[in-house]
Amino acid sequence: MLQGIAFYFFSAVMIASALMVIAARNPVHSVLFLILAFFNAAALFVLLGAEFLAMILIVVYVGAVAVLFLFVVMMLDIDFVELRRGFMNYLPLGAVIGGLIFFELAFVMFVWTADPGAPLRPTPAGVTNTEALGRILYTDYIFYFQTAGLILLVAMIGAIVLTLRHRPDVRRQSISRQNARQPADAIEMRDVKPGQGS
Amino acid sequence: MMLRDLQVLTPEFMMAVGGMALLMLGVFAGEHSHRVLSRAAMVLLLITGVAVVVGQGVAAFGTALIVDEFARLIKLLVLGGAVLVLWMSEDFLERARIGRFEFPILVIFSVLGMMLMASAGDFLTLYLGLELQSLALYVLAAFDRDNVRSSEAGLKYFVLGALSSGMMLYGISLIYGFAGTTSFAGAAMSLEGGAASVGVIFGLVFLISGLAFKVSAVPFHMWTPDVYEGAPTPITAFFAASPKIAAMALFVRVMVEALPGAIDQWQQIIIFVSICSMVLGAFAAIGQNNIKRLMAYSSIANMGYVLVGLAAGTPEGVQGILIYLLIYLITNIGVFACILAMRRGDHQVETISDLSGLAQTRPGYAFVFAMLMFSLAGIPPLAGFFAKFYVFLAAVKAGLYPLAVIGVVASVVGAYYYLRIVKIIYFDEPAPVFEPKMGASLAAIVAASGIFTLFFILVASPLVNVAAAAAASLFP
């Protein structure tokens, strides 16, 4: 009962915020609604008992992807009014693609059947799915896991190689110098006679 | 279990740990430690080579990695190519003011990716190895980041490479869906007997598209000339050498070990791709004026010839491929060392007309350059002739007469542009001399590759035996 209410609540909020993502006039609001949609999707995963996916969704999508979107929207000067101008021209194409995706989803929902013999809870009893995933990832798949780590290391090195520049003329903040600064170094008292200062 | 696996993986483990240690060293030693790190990386690669030779064991982590004779030979070729490229790049990078310590580190990690590719026994290893390799190469292509052409090369390579990875992943997912396993041996077993299903053939096509991109075979070759031209020359030499060899080894292993049941299907595709590569490589190179672009088309054509060996699908074919790759590696490194020596004062020149009359100003250099060109054209008794001979022989033995005939015709057409360079070097009016003379490392590499090309015939039979043993390890 309570689960049902929670499910309908989260789903309704998610659909509403997903609609607002494409309907909002201000792109920053769109991104914020997107984050709200992600949170609701994570809540739905928790209801399904897939808490690991819920956490990953929040960490990856909210923590990284959506914030990246937000940066792009706020930092880059994109004229969204200009982008929307061709809306009617692209409507037929968009409608065709949307229709196709809808058809495929309906196909999956009504035609595809799960094997009745397939276990509904593949995780071993008494173990949360996070723990079950961890056990398999750090034992059977340790080699793939470590190799993926090396790929990320290379990505990091690459980003630094291609973007880091040492500019000699940049004024960097030096906290120790700031803290060591005394009033005597910075302020000079001058005795200015009335009428002579300029 | 873990320890035994790591023992089998000693070379890869050494590369990974060594690469990270050198990275730390570079970070603490600062920007100008390039030369020291480059030397250290060469030592690391050589030690890894020794570990590959003395290593034992056949498989690690279940079927994730296979360490057979084939993998060992490919790893040695890849490591050798990387060492030579690091050696000849030192002076160039410093002159171009891009001598940063990340260069050898990225080379190490890309070589690690190639070693994993050579040993891949599972689609997951295949993908991870390929990505590790490619990601490092994208960065290397754009290494001269203040140069527009280099940035363009990196970006183009990255976008097209990501697209091809996506296609390949889609193909792998289809094969996994229909075979029910990601391991090559498992896939081969579940596809055994009966006609391959439509899903598997779909997956196969996407997989081949992705792999063909990595070896720059037509029709997935478009990135090659631009990337070769834009990337700094030593990095172009690296692109032409090690990654091609590793990708081709992966190609062979996937087709022979994972999909032997679908040979009728993939053979057709490989024959088509091979013919297109040979023909396009032969004709498109004719109009080129830039020597690096010319080498790009030459490498497309060469990959076409290598695929002839794969199309045969027999142990002889794989043996031909291995000999071809060895000769291709040494000839290409030699040619690129010659290209690196093409400079006047401070700047590098790259057009073919700059080579005019080289024979009168620098006779030794001109002789080796001409010899390498003759070898690429496939003139006996130079090494390049034997490379082509073995793959065409395998094709004929497998009954693929039309493919072999088209290959021979394409190589005759291709001979035109190689011989044109020889003619320019020997018979044209001398252009201004290249100054200063090539450094010791370049001279050693050029001389060594010249000697190998000339006297290959003397060492041919032991090398052919090694290649035959390696090829036999792929066919149980």
Side-chain angles (χ1 to χ4, degrees):
Chain A
M1 177 62 195
L2 195 62
Q3 276 211 336
I5 294 172
F7 172 77
Y8 283 110
F9 174 72
F10 288 128
S11 314
V13 176
M14 189 167 95
I15 292 171
S17 51
L19 273 178
M20 286 307 290
V21 172
I22 51 173
R25 287 208 161 271
N26 186 333
V28 177
H29 293 174
S30 285
V31 178
L32 292 175
F33 274 114
L34 189 66
I35 294 176
L36 182 62
F38 284 144
F39 269 109
N40 282 289
L44 288 177
F45 274 128
V46 172
L47 282 181
L48 281 175
E51 80 278 356
F52 184 72
L53 273 181
M55 289 191 292
I56 287 293
L57 194 72
I58 293 198
V59 171
V60 175
Y61 280 86
V62 179
V65 176
V67 172
L68 193 71
F69 280 175
L70 207 55
F71 266 112
V72 170
V73 167
M74 292 190 349
M75 298 283 180
L76 300 183
D77 186 20
I78 300 170
D79 189 352
F80 285 89
V81 180
E82 186 68 27
L83 279 180
R84 289 216 180 101
R85 191 152 290 166
F87 182 72
M88 288 315 283
N89 297 348
Y90 295 116
L91 191 62
L93 184 66
V96 168
I97 293 175
L100 269 178
I101 291 174
F102 184 77
F103 171 75
E104 284 174 357
L105 283 176
F107 185 75
V108 168
M109 202 163 161
F110 293 113
V111 178
W112 188 67
T113 51
D115 181 359
L120 281 174
R121 290 183 65 90
T123 41
V127 177
T128 62
N129 62 42
T130 310
E131 200 180 334
L133 276 172
R135 276 187 190 170
I136 201 166
L137 207 55
Y138 289 97
T139 54
D140 293 353
Y141 289 87
I142 180 74
F143 167 71
Y144 303 118
F145 188 70
Q146 293 293 339
T147 312
L150 280 177
I151 294 175
L152 293 180
L153 175 68
V154 169
M156 242 154 66
I157 300 173
I160 293 171
V161 168
L162 295 180
T163 55
L164 180 69
R165 280 164 206 277
H166 292 291
R167 293 201 181 85
D169 53 340
V170 176
R171 297 174 154 218
R172 291 182 196 284
Q173 183 182 24
S174 164
I175 293 170
S176 58
R177 265 184 64 203
Q178 279 181 339
N179 286 341
R181 198 162 139 126
Q182 299 292 327
D185 306 332
I187 304 170
E188 191 182 348
M189 297 292 280
R190 286 280 179 93
D191 191 11
V192 181
K193 296 272 183 312
Q196 290 181 358
S198 56
Chain B
M1 143 110 190
M2 267 292 279
L3 266 182
R4 201 189 50 80
D5 286 336
L6 281 182
Q7 211 177 350
V8 176
L9 272 193
T10 313
E12 284 82 359
F13 190 69
M14 277 165 56
M15 286 285 282
V17 174
M20 287 187 270
L22 289 182
L23 177 65
M24 281 294 120
L25 197 68
V27 170
F28 285 107
E31 287 277 296
H32 302 292
S33 53
H34 162 249
R35 203 169 265 267
V36 179
L37 273 187
S38 176
R39 290 284 158 85
M42 279 157 62
V43 172
L44 176 66
L45 291 168
L46 288 174
I47 296 174
T48 311
V50 174
V52 169
V53 174
V54 301
Q56 308 215 322
V58 283
F61 296 105
T63 54
L65 289 152
I66 303 167
V67 188
D68 51 10
E69 290 304 314
F70 179 79
R72 288 207 180 93
L73 184 56
I74 293 293
K75 281 179 195 174
L76 287 180
L77 292 183
V78 164
L79 287 165
V83 170
L84 292 177
V85 166
L86 279 178
W87 197 24
M88 69 191 199
S89 64
E90 283 176 356
D91 292 331
F92 177 91
L93 293 177
E94 264 171 33
R95 270 203 314 279
R97 297 183 192 289
I98 49 174
R100 292 203 305 275
F101 74 87
E102 289 95 343
F103 179 77
I105 306 289
L106 285 168
V107 170
I108 287 176
F109 282 116
S110 72
V111 170
L112 176 59
M114 294 172 210
M115 289 168 71
L116 295 180
M117 285 158 71
S119 286
D122 191 294
F123 283 109
L124 281 174
T125 318
L126 177 160
Y127 183 70
L128 287 172
L130 204 59
E131 282 305 294
L132 182 57
Q133 179 234 200
S134 310
L135 208 55
L137 293 184
Y138 302 147
V139 180
L140 283 176
F143 204 74
D144 191 1
R145 61 187 184 187
D146 297 321
N147 180 333
V148 182
R149 303 199 79 100
S150 175
S151 310
E152 181 200 328
L155 196 62
K156 217 171 233 177
Y157 194 20
F158 173 66
V159 172
L160 291 175
L163 182 73
S164 83
S165 289
M167 287 201 293
M168 192 159 66
L169 213 48
Y170 182 52
I172 291 173
S173 75
L174 281 171
I175 294 175
Y176 168 59
F178 281 83
T181 168
T182 56
S183 86
F184 289 175
M189 210 149 38
S190 71
L191 300 178
E192 213 169 45
S197 67
V198 180
V200 172
I201 296 173
F202 250 85
L204 180 71
V205 171
F206 278 104
L207 180 67
I208 292 181
S209 314
L211 288 169
F213 176 90
K214 298 292 176 195
V215 298
S216 75
V218 179
F220 303 98
H221 64 286
M222 279 78 129
W223 58 277
T224 319
D226 293 338
V227 172
Y228 272 47
E229 191 187 356
T233 311
I235 296 169
T236 310
F238 188 51
F239 283 165
S242 302
K244 286 278 171 66
I245 291 175
M248 194 49 88
L250 189 63
F251 210 152
V252 171
R253 195 189 280 280
V254 174
M255 292 303 138
V256 171
E257 287 205 336
L259 301 157
I263 184 164
D264 294 335
Q265 279 83 20
W266 60 253
Q267 200 173 31
Q268 294 170 14
I269 307 175
I270 301 288
I271 289 173
F272 170 76
V273 169
S274 163
I275 290 176
C276 289
S277 304
M278 290 187 293
V279 171
L280 184 123
F283 283 96
I286 291 174
Q288 301 303 324
N289 288 320
N290 182 306
I291 184 100
K292 280 161 80 181
R293 275 188 97 81
L294 183 114
M295 287 310 292
Y297 284 106
S298 156
S299 92
I300 293 173
N302 276 311
M303 287 301 125
Y305 297 123
V306 178
L307 287 174
V308 170
L310 179 57
T314 55
E316 285 89 29
V318 176
Q319 175 196 338
I321 290 177
L322 289 170
I323 297 166
Y324 201 109
L325 289 177
L326 168 71
I327 292 169
Y328 168 81
L329 171 76
I330 295 176
T331 318
N332 254 290
I333 293 278
V335 172
F336 275 101
C338 288
I339 294 174
L340 271 174
M342 289 169 60
R343 65 193 185 101
R344 299 209 175 91
D346 261 350
H347 61 264
Q348 209 73 29
V349 289
E350 289 175 0
T351 55
I352 292 172
S353 55
D354 285 312
L355 288 166
S356 298
L358 187 64
Q360 295 169 40
T361 52
R362 293 248 185 279
Y365 174 17
F367 176 73
V368 178
F369 208 147
M371 214 40 59
L372 292 172
M373 286 298 141
F374 277 127
S375 171
L376 281 171
I379 312 273
L382 300 172
F385 166 73
F386 292 97
K388 287 187 178 127
F389 173 73
Y390 283 110
V391 288
F392 290 146
L393 189 67
V396 169
K397 276 189 183 165
L400 301 171
Y401 300 105
L403 181 62
V405 170
I406 294 174
V408 172
V409 171
S411 88
V412 170
V413 175
Y416 166 76
Y417 59 84
Y418 296 124
L419 297 184
R420 186 172 69 118
I421 295 180
V422 175
K423 174 235 162 202
I424 288 172
I425 289 177
Y426 274 88
F427 303 111
D428 280 10
E429 285 301 306
V433 66
F434 293 141
E435 286 287 1
K437 287 190 169 178
M438 57 174 92
S441 57
L442 281 187
I445 292 171
V446 168
S449 76
I451 290 170
F452 176 85
T453 317
L454 261 178
F455 298 110
F456 174 79
I457 191 161
L458 300 179
V459 291
S461 71
L463 286 177
V464 169
N465 288 340
V466 170
S473 75
L474 265 193
F475 293 86

